[in-house]
């Protein structure tokens, strides 16, 4: 069923790979490292053994950063990966050979495999990051989104119950600021009423409440992290921040003519994914299971993100806006060359129901967990721009999914 990371079949291309994963791998040694600080490692202070963590969605942006963090803390990390005919593991290739990393095929829609893996490896912590996470796509695939993002959470909870691990396993559920949708107050905090505006958000709402229900019904240590938008160089190319970054670099290098976007005036609270996965870990180390908002408390529009990227020193192509603001007639031109359109508005990229503004209040996490973002908005944009420009210059495609 599973295979050690880095093993593969001889017929596979010669690159870091997943392999066919049909033969069992040799478990890594579980040794006592009790002399280390339990708060800074994956050591269980009572047992003197490594903690075992499960990450669903390990091949995504958050999953890859979280895997790095947990491996640094000496956890034994098990990642669940969906079967694909192509390679979908680029974000974790650099850690394939780690002795404490194990990869398994699985799917949030397959309760049998979830029960098998949870029962066999009995994790101390589960981080459920797997999801169909693209909001626009959820309008086109609402049923699958509901199954994976909503009912999948229930399947995972039931897998823990079936294994009799309710009192051992802590579960983190990746919730989302999209729950707030048509916002009822500004900023949004843990007590703000939800008003979801997409099939993605509605599915996540079910996931949120089933976590709360099982926590209250079965005394589960099950938590929701309501995370506001968090980006990084590992963000998929179809997400708006990476789409903008990628276009700016490609336009600068003469590989693309224009950038097409939807709602330029949508406002978001953007942070760096590295800060947010650190917050996920801190949430499960806290003595109380509850729900938390992680956010920067700062807000920027899509329009300002575009301006920031095109003004970056690597690009130096300032944008000037023309046409009627807020309509499909608006466009952005190169300030020094007004006849050259760089940005156009395309109605196809508007959502059927827009979420205009999201701004989080992370006071609870700041004061109780001691969590605060370490990377600023400027740091985030610079990190993404540098990574993408390096890739463009080298002719590499990065994280298209």
């Amino acid at each position: 069923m599973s295979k050690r990371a880095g093993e593969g079949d001889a017929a596979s291309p010669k690159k870091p790979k997943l392999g066919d994963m049909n033969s069992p791998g040799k478990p890594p040694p579980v040794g006592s490292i009790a002399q280390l600080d339990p708060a800074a490692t994956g050591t269980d202070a009572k047992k003197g053994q490594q903690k075992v963590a499960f990450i669903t969605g390990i091949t995504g942006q958050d999953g890859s950063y979280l895997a790095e963090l947990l491996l640094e803390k000496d956890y034994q990390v098990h990642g669940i990966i969906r079967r694909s005919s192509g390679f979908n593991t680029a974000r974790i290739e650099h850690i394939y050979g780690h002795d404490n990393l194990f990869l398994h095929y699985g799917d949030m829609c397959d309760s049998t495999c979830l029960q098998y893996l949870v029962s066999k490896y009995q994790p101390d912590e589960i981080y459920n990051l797997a999801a169909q996470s693209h909001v626009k796509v959820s309008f086109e695939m609402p049923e699958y989104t509901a199954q994976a993002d909503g009912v999948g959470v229930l399947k995972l909870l039931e897998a823990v119950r079936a294994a009799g691990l309710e009192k051992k396993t802590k579960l983190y559920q990746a919730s989302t600021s999209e729950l707030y949708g048509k916002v009822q107050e500004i900023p949004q905090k843990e007590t703000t009423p939800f008003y979801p505006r997409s099939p993605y958000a509605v599915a996540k709402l079910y996931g949120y409440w089933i976590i709360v229900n099982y926590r209250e019904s079965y005394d589960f240590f099950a938590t929701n992290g309501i995370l506001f938008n968090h980006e990084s160089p590992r963000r998929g190319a179809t997400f708006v921040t990476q789409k903008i970054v990628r276009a700016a670099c490609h336009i600068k290098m003469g590989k693309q003519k224009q950038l097409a976007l939807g709602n330029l005036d949508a406002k978001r609270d953007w942070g760096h994914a590295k800060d947010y996965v650190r917050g996920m870990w801190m949430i499960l180390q806290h003595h109380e299971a509850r729900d938390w908002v992680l956010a920067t408390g700062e807000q920027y529009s899509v329009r300002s993100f575009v301006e920031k990227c095109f003004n970056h020193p690597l690009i130096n192509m300032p944008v000037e806006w023309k046409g009627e603001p807020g309509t499909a007639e608006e466009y952005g031109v190169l300030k020094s060359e007004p006849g050259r359109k760089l940005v156009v508005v395309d109605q196809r990229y508007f959502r059927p129901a827009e979420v205009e503004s999201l701004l989080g209040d992370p006071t609870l996490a700041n004061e109780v967990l001691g969590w605060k973002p370490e990377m600023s908005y400027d740091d985030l944009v610079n990190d993404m721009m540098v990574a993408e420009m390096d890739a463009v210059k080298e002719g590499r495609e990065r994280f298209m999914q």
Side-chain angles (χ1 to χ4, degrees), residues 341-387:
K341 284 187 181 181
L342 298 179
V343 184
V344 296
V345 175
D346 191 328
Q347 289 290 149
R348 292 177 299 174
Y349 296 116
F350 281 82
R351 302 178 186 180
E354 284 287 341
V355 174
E356 297 291 346
S357 175
L358 293 172
L359 175 63
D361 177 359
T363 300
L364 183 68
N366 293 168
E367 295 180 353
V368 178
L369 294 178
W371 177 86
K372 290 184 179 180
E374 295 176 355
M375 299 186 74
S376 68
Y377 177 68
D378 287 349
D379 292 336
L380 167 65
V381 174
N382 186 64
D383 197 24
M384 295 179 73
M385 290 297 298
V386 170

Side-chain angles (χ1 to χ4, degrees), residues 4-24:
R4 282 291 296 119
E7 293 182 354
D9 103 37
S12 298
K14 293 182 178 180
K15 61 174 286 187
K17 52 193 177 292
L18 196 59
D20 63 13
M21 301 183 80
N22 287 324
S23 54

Side-chain angles (χ1 to χ4, degrees), residues 98-167:
H98 201 291
D99 290 340
N100 285 332
L101 177 65
F102 293 81
L103 304 175
H104 313 273
Y105 282 130
D107 194 289
M108 294 304 295
C109 297
D110 185 345
S111 57
T112 302
C113 97
L114 294 176
Q115 289 180 14
Y116 170 80
L117 292 171
V118 169
S119 178
K120 182 173 182 179
Y121 296 104
Q122 302 198 356
D124 298 287
E125 297 172 7
I126 295 176
Y127 296 86
N128 183 32
L129 312 184
Q132 190 300 99
S133 58
H134 199 287
V135 176
K136 181 68 166 62
V137 171
S138 76
F139 284 97
E140 300 166 12
M141 301 177 64
E143 184 176 346
Y144 174 76
T145 301
Q147 287 294 327
D149 299 8
V151 180
V153 183
L154 174 62
K155 293 178 188 292
L156 193 53
L157 286 164
E158 279 297 302
V160 176
R161 283 193 68 212
L165 298 174
E166 302 98 313
K167 305 304 179 186

Side-chain angles (χ1 to χ4, degrees), residues 298-317:
E298 298 178 1
Q299 187 184 61
Y300 300 90
S301 68
V302 173
R303 184 191 305 276
S304 70
F305 197 92
V306 170
E307 293 168 353
K308 193 79 172 175
C309 292
F310 278 88
N311 284 337
H312 191 276
L314 289 173
I315 309 300
N316 194 24
M317 298 176 70

Side-chain angles (χ1 to χ4, degrees), residues 16 22 39 72 84 106 181 207 214 219 243 255 263 302 342 359 375:
N22 287 324
E72 288 172 4
S84 172
Y214 271 54
D219 198 27
K243 181 178 179 179
K255 297 178 180 294
N263 186 1
V302 173
L342 298 179
L359 175 63
M375 299 186 74

Side-chain angles (χ1 to χ4, degrees), residues 217-234:
S217 300
Y218 303 111
D219 198 27
F220 254 92
F221 195 106
T223 71
N224 287 291
I226 306 174
L227 273 54
F228 280 67
N229 295 66
H230 46 287
E231 318 297 317
S232 78
R234 297 182 190 175

